[in-house]
Amino acid sequence: QVQLVESGGGLVQAGGSLRLSCAASGRTFGMGWFRQAPGKEREFVSTISWSGTSTYYADFVKGRFTISRDNAKNTVYLHMNSLKPEDTAVYYCRASSDKGQSPITYWYDYWGQGTQVTVSS
């Protein structure tokens, strides 16, 4: 069983930046970030393949967020720039036993407990 632990969330002003980290207890392959705002459905944010050569982003974060990974550390990152109040949510990391990447929730086998990101206006 792989455990995922997210960190890096916090309170930031609009226009600011944060870097989220997701550390896995074991080897993982395709990984992704999802988020859930209060009163809303959980939604896809970004995903990255095991090799790191394939990434995919939700339209609302393109050009602002960047996903990356360090396989030596079993860690995936989400670099968030130009944050907006509507980015406020709990951000969840997910990992798959497949080497690809996917925006689909059920493609993933493991998920973390989430980290809160709050963007003030």
Side-chain angles (χ1 to χ4, degrees):
Q1 187 76 8
V2 174
Q3 307 271 339
L4 303 176
V5 179
E6 301 98 331
S7 62
L11 174 63
V12 64
Q13 288 188 330
S17 300
L18 284 173
R19 187 185 76 163
L20 304 184
S21 300
C22 173
S25 62
R27 190 178 186 184
T28 57
F29 296 104
M31 298 187 76
W33 288 95
F34 290 73
R35 70 185 188 185
Q36 187 167 20
K40 294 189 177 182
E41 296 285 320
R42 194 168 297 187
E43 61 184 354
F44 165 75
V45 176
S46 183
T47 180
I48 187 168
S49 63
W50 176 70
S51 66
T53 58
S54 179
T55 59
Y56 183 65
Y57 298 90
D59 286 344
F60 53 78
V61 303
K62 283 181 181 177
R64 300 189 299 125
F65 292 9
T66 302
I67 191 169
S68 63
R69 66 187 300 157
D70 184 340
N71 288 343
K73 297 181 179 179
N74 290 329
T75 299
V76 67
Y77 304 97
L78 186 66
H79 307 260
M80 306 187 295
N81 297 318
S82 302
L83 283 162
K84 305 175 182 180
E86 52 263 44
D87 292 318
T88 295
V90 177
Y91 284 71
Y92 297 91
C93 173
R94 294 198 174 180
S96 172
S97 55
D98 189 292
K99 289 188 176 181
Q101 46 94 341
S102 175
I104 306 299
T105 300
Y106 59 76
W107 184 78
Y108 295 88
D109 303 298
Y110 310 102
W111 47 93
Q113 294 300 307
T115 184
Q116 176 71 47
V117 171
T118 303
V119 184
S120 63
S121 57

